Amino acid sequence: MRIYATFVYLFLYIPIGVIAVFSFNSGRNASDFAGFSVKWYGKALANPFIMDALKTSLTVALLSALFASVFGAMAAVALQGIRGPVRTAFDAVINVAVMIPGIVIGIATLIGLVTIFEQLNPLLDAIWPFASAAPRLQMGKTSLVGAHTMFLMALCIIIVRARLAGMDRSLTEASSDLYATPFGTFRQVTLPQIFPAIAAGFLLSFTFSFDDFIIAFFVAGSETTLPIYVFSSIRRGVTPEINAIGTMVLGASLFILLIAQTLLRRGSRKVK
Amino acid sequence: MTQRTRNFLLLAPAGAWFLLMLVVPLSVVLIFSFGERGAAGGYVPAFTFDQYANLPARWAAFRNTLVLAPVGTLSALLIAYPLAYFLAVRVSAKWKMLLLVLVIVPFWTSILIRSYAWIFLLGGRGIPALIEFIGFPAIRLINTPFSVLVGIIYGYLPLMVFPIFVSLDRLDKRLLEASSDLGAKPWRTFLQITLPLSIPGIATGCMLVFILLMGEYLIPAILGGGKVFFVGNALVDLFLQSRNWAFGSAVAVTLIVVMLATVTVYMRFMARLSANRDDVSLI
């Protein structure tokens, strides 16, 4: 049993380890280890395409995570006190959002937005009051943030809702018995309790958006995110530079995940 | 501010966002699937079932998906179950959490980079070279259904372990003691108590993995080398290369319908199985 588990852990971590080891390879050839060197990290960090892609990915991930966690938490709090058709509609939409494959989200956003833009762009040209050309609506960072936020908002609603469901009702009742205003109760009782869930939702959303390839592949337009850059490089062949990027990305997500994990656990301990 | 307006204001951003970014786009896909392809790609309004009639043209992608998704799910289950059992039943409370987190964490890291690692391991200089070194004839592993299967298991194992672990962890351990006190052999305890009581976890895990696999693109694209392709790969081809939006939409709608149908049948089956479970636990 123990031996079996060891094997599974090796299976899970050897591939990651191999990438990390080979990222320190000084040789040009990706599959022969020639000696220890950090030069590929330097090359990766000096590559303007990689840095641009990284900047795009970070901007999109930050905005998506922010919108998703804030709007998601707001919706989760409101949904708690609602029954009837609005609740049913939201439940249905949330389920659809997390159930349908990412690739379908990508496709739908692509053709949905392009169709809307095709209608709006001539309209914008017609009403544009200045001499210069009217701005054109097109796929890019905004559509990326739009698609990521949509999916991640559903995820954040689920996370915050789970925390709300685990909350002790008597605390909010006590608060209103003691003449706290609804907003006062929310700020002083509910918010501190759900805050770890919101923060964890933010961090999970950030990592998801940062790592997402398939939605971005359809929706990014002419923008390049880091996963899109890595994917097209892999297509051209394995290089130590990609290993270095991969190791950095894995390291960064591991770090963020550990924080998210700690927050979620600390949150659940407090509630109990 | 009344409670009504407050709830409305709280729900408005999320509601508008879902409407614009999910409901409208999905409706567009549905509408386009009944349309026609424009001369330069894109979409021409029409109402026709031609796109659906043309589906057999992409039969190979559906066949691969419908074979490899269940096979991948089952393989992941077979590998995940003993590990979940080990973590839930055999490991001391002190190590349990850490070991569980170690299983789950890879799932939240980039699947792109994790799949890429297997190009390394399964490629000519990796495991095949090792096999040759030991003295066996060299075999080709990369760009085969096998490499795609390895990628699938590797990518989705964490998602399978977690729900099974949860159901086994909740299992009342006194049942196991009672069973052995009453003279049941370990395997009998397992078959009659542990396994039936972990069915909800198995069901959740299989469904999660299966749903994600139905829409998979990256793993076959990276480890299948264009020879092993899923519906996802056909969709990328139709939307990004040939720009055949009408036919692509029909393929996407079909994918969702097939997925929903499979999941519904599966849930019915699982519901019946856990209904039987009640009989088992009563005995």
Side-chain angles (χ1 to χ4, degrees):
Chain A
M1 209 74 206
R2 194 172 283 248
I3 297 168
Y4 177 82
T6 314
F7 268 111
V8 179
Y9 280 101
L10 287 177
F11 172 69
L12 282 174
Y13 282 93
I14 279 183
I16 297 177
V18 166
I19 291 191
V21 168
F22 273 87
S23 69
F24 295 109
N25 185 2
S26 64
R28 162 96 231 148
N29 193 324
S31 42
D32 290 317
F33 199 88
F36 180 87
S37 152
V38 290
K39 75 172 181 193
W40 295 107
Y41 284 87
K43 286 229 162 122
L45 293 175
N47 182 333
F49 295 107
I50 294 178
M51 290 329 275
D52 272 355
L54 177 68
K55 220 157 63 188
T56 309
S57 281
L58 286 175
T59 315
V60 169
L62 202 65
L63 288 175
S64 307
L66 198 65
F67 288 137
S69 53
V70 172
F71 293 154
M74 281 163 57
V77 169
L79 284 173
Q80 200 197 15
I82 287 188
R83 295 281 171 276
V86 177
R87 170 69 178 263
T88 319
F90 265 91
D91 284 351
V93 168
I94 292 164
N95 280 333
V96 170
V98 293
M99 284 262 293
I100 59 169
I103 195 166
V104 175
I105 296 182
I107 289 167
T109 315
L110 171 71
I111 66 174
L113 287 186
V114 166
T115 309
I116 295 174
F117 292 167
E118 272 170 8
Q119 307 298 317
L120 287 183
N121 275 330
L123 198 73
L124 211 63
D125 282 337
I127 60 166
W128 190 248
F130 306 107
S132 59
R136 296 197 66 77
L137 296 170
Q138 54 189 6
M139 307 303 277
K141 282 195 190 105
T142 316
S143 53
L144 253 173
V145 173
H148 279 175
T149 303
M150 188 283 294
F151 168 76
L152 296 169
M153 209 160 51
L155 191 78
C156 286
I157 293 178
I158 293 174
I159 295 176
V160 175
R161 207 189 235 180
R163 173 67 70 249
L164 281 168
M167 248 174 65
D168 194 347
R169 277 278 164 99
S170 54
L171 288 173
T172 45
E173 280 162 14
S175 168
S176 60
D177 285 352
L178 295 168
Y179 301 107
T181 59
F183 181 71
T185 305
F186 175 76
R187 200 173 56 88
Q188 298 197 312
V189 180
T190 313
L191 190 60
Q193 290 200 65
I194 60 171
F195 187 74
I198 301 175
F202 175 88
L203 293 174
L204 288 181
S205 299
F206 185 89
T207 22
F208 179 89
S209 170
F210 189 76
D211 285 339
D212 166 67
F213 167 77
I214 193 66
I215 297 178
F217 198 36
F218 285 95
V219 178
S222 58
E223 297 280 349
T224 305
T225 64
L226 198 57
I228 293 179
Y229 178 86
V230 170
F231 181 75
S232 45
S233 313
I234 292 175
R235 280 279 164 105
R236 274 180 268 133
V238 174
T239 67
E241 205 177 5
I242 295 299
N243 292 335
I245 304 173
T247 310
M248 287 190 277
V249 169
L250 289 177
S253 7
L254 285 181
F255 180 68
I256 297 175
L257 283 165
L258 285 178
I259 301 175
Q261 181 72 22
T262 324
L263 279 171
L264 271 176
R265 286 181 59 195
R266 187 191 291 169
S268 65
R269 216 176 297 144
K270 255 189 206 157
V271 171
K272 273 168 197 163
Chain B
M1 193 162 43
T2 66
Q3 187 164 6
R4 232 186 141 79
T5 31
R6 201 196 66 204
N7 278 342
F8 175 78
L9 289 176
L10 285 174
L11 284 173
W17 211 298
F18 281 130
L19 190 69
L20 184 68
M21 298 303 297
L22 185 71
V23 179
V24 169
L26 283 180
S27 315
V28 170
V29 170
L30 189 64
I31 294 168
F32 276 25
S33 72
F34 294 105
E36 275 168 4
R37 185 193 177 180
Y43 163 80
V44 174
F47 186 77
T48 154
F49 290 93
D50 288 359
Q51 309 306 334
Y52 288 96
N54 196 21
L55 280 176
R58 294 285 171 167
W59 165 240
F62 277 99
R63 189 197 55 211
N64 285 341
T65 310
L66 287 173
V67 171
L68 276 170
V71 170
T73 309
L74 278 182
S75 319
L77 172 65
L78 290 179
I79 296 176
Y81 197 95
L83 182 69
Y85 182 85
F86 174 73
L87 290 177
V89 181
R90 296 291 171 83
V91 175
S92 66
K94 199 175 110 194
W95 290 98
K96 205 179 259 185
M97 260 307 150
L98 177 71
L99 287 174
L100 184 69
V101 168
L102 277 178
V103 175
I104 294 165
V105 153
F107 180 73
W108 281 95
T109 61
S110 166
I111 191 151
L112 171 66
I113 291 164
R114 287 189 297 131
S115 308
Y116 158 77
W118 284 97
I119 299 185
F120 243 67
L121 290 167
L122 296 176
R125 302 281 192 88
I127 292 172
L130 199 69
I131 292 175
E132 204 174 17
F133 182 74
I134 298 172
F136 291 99
I139 42 165
R140 190 185 154 73
L141 291 176
I142 192 80
N143 300 346
T144 61
F146 174 77
S147 60
V148 175
L149 190 63
V150 170
I152 287 172
I153 296 173
Y154 183 63
Y156 293 107
L157 193 65
L159 201 60
M160 187 65 93
V161 172
F162 187 64
I164 300 177
F165 167 83
V166 170
S167 67
L168 284 172
D169 197 41
R170 276 202 203 124
L171 183 148
D172 190 343
K173 305 293 181 298
R174 286 173 303 181
L175 285 175
L176 306 181
E177 284 165 24
S179 172
S180 73
D181 287 350
L182 292 169
K185 295 252 174 14
W187 62 268
R188 207 160 160 217
T189 305
F190 176 76
L191 282 182
Q192 295 204 312
I193 296 177
T194 316
L195 187 62
L197 287 176
S198 61
I199 281 179
I202 297 176
T204 313
C206 287
M207 205 171 74
L208 288 174
V209 173
F210 183 76
I211 286 175
L212 286 176
L213 278 181
M214 290 291 282
E216 188 57 53
Y217 165 76
L218 264 183
I219 296 172
I222 293 177
L223 297 171
K227 293 190 188 71
V228 186
F229 44 86
F230 277 29
V231 177
N233 305 68
L235 286 171
V236 167
D237 177 43
L238 285 170
F239 280 95
L240 298 179
Q241 265 100 53
S242 48
R243 277 183 48 85
N244 192 344
W245 288 8
F247 184 44
S249 299
V251 173
V253 171
T254 312
L255 175 67
I256 294 179
V257 170
V258 170
M259 211 177 86
L260 285 180
T262 327
V263 169
T264 314
V265 171
Y266 174 78
M267 298 247 265
R268 288 261 168 82
F269 174 70
M270 277 301 164
R272 193 175 302 162
L273 213 63
S274 40
N276 287 345
R277 190 198 68 200
D278 291 336
D279 306 340
V280 174
S281 62
L282 280 177
I283 292 170

